[in-house]
Amino acid sequence: MYVITQSTQVTASQVWFDELIATLRTHELQLETDTASPEMKNMYAIFMGNNLDEMFKVNKSTTQQYFVQKIVVEYLKQLDQTLPLKLAFNFNDSEVLVWAEIEDNDEKQEKALANAEAKINATFHPYGFDMESLIVEKSDNLPVPNHYKIFKA
């Protein structure tokens, strides 16, 4: 006797869609019961309203946060165990800014930083995001600019 069974293999897109629907149902309940956060209420008011300018502003901010995070993490992966003496980050509208201090005449470290930046720019430039580095040597005795966030001091 042969039994034919239907495949129960679930694809990643099915899981994603199921999670999306579950999240929307949860949000709907929170909005109906007035237990949603002010941020969630605002987000749904913007997306359900007709204010396209505000919708695109939120979208731009979310996109920027997503790419800046990816860029910093990928940059750190590129450097792996070869971090400079000091490392700090900042960002503007479409760039992640790097401030790095290296030992004097450390061409190997300088090359590693430049290569990491080049790989980041090759990967993320098509999405409108780039990286710009400022590399200083220890003997320059320059402080990390106060508008940068220190990663390694």
Side-chain angles (χ1 to χ4, degrees), residues 5-23:
T5 60
Q6 185 177 9
S7 174
T8 58
Q9 204 172 35
V10 178
T11 66
S13 62
Q14 289 170 322
V15 170
W16 167 82
F17 187 72
D18 290 347
E19 289 174 358
L20 172 66
I21 297 300
T23 298

Side-chain angles (χ1 to χ4, degrees), residues 23 33-34 54 57-58 60-61 94 99 113 127 131 141:
T23 298
T33 60
D34 201 30
E54 193 62 29
K57 179 182 171 187
V58 168
K60 178 183 177 189
S61 176
S94 62
W99 190 95
L113 293 168
Y127 302 104
M131 176 172 274
N141 200 28

Side-chain angles (χ1 to χ4, degrees), residues 82-93:
T82 60
L83 291 178
L85 298 173
K86 294 182 183 177
L87 183 63
F89 296 98
N90 195 4
F91 71 95
N92 62 30
D93 207 36

Side-chain angles (χ1 to χ4, degrees), residues 5 51 60 67 73 88 90 108 124-125 130 133 139 149:
T5 60
N51 187 343
K60 178 183 177 189
F67 280 108
V73 169
N90 195 4
K108 184 177 178 183
F124 294 99
H125 181 77
D130 293 294
S133 297
S139 66
K149 301 299 178 202

Side-chain angles (χ1 to χ4, degrees), residues 7 18 28 36 77 84 110 122 132 148 150-151:
S7 174
D18 290 347
E28 180 182 39
K77 283 183 192 176
E110 190 169 354
E132 182 78 27
Y148 279 70
I150 295 173
F151 179 79

Side-chain angles (χ1 to χ4, degrees), residues 52-126:
L52 291 178
D53 290 344
E54 193 62 29
M55 187 184 321
F56 284 113
K57 179 182 171 187
V58 168
N59 188 43
K60 178 183 177 189
S61 176
T62 303
T63 300
Q64 182 184 45
Q65 290 172 18
Y66 172 80
F67 280 108
V68 166
Q69 179 179 340
K70 282 194 69 118
I71 287 169
V72 170
V73 169
E74 186 59 33
Y75 182 74
L76 293 171
K77 283 183 192 176
Q78 292 291 326
L79 293 178
D80 193 32
Q81 301 298 318
T82 60
L83 291 178
L85 298 173
K86 294 182 183 177
L87 183 63
F89 296 98
N90 195 4
F91 71 95
N92 62 30
D93 207 36
S94 62
E95 290 180 312
V96 173
L97 307 171
V98 176
W99 190 95
E101 181 181 292
I102 63 173
E103 291 287 354
D104 292 352
N105 304 313
D106 188 348
E107 292 180 20
K108 184 177 178 183
Q109 179 71 70
E110 190 169 354
K111 185 176 180 178
L113 293 168
N115 284 340
E117 178 183 333
K119 288 177 182 176
I120 292 299
N121 288 336
T123 301
F124 294 99
H125 181 77

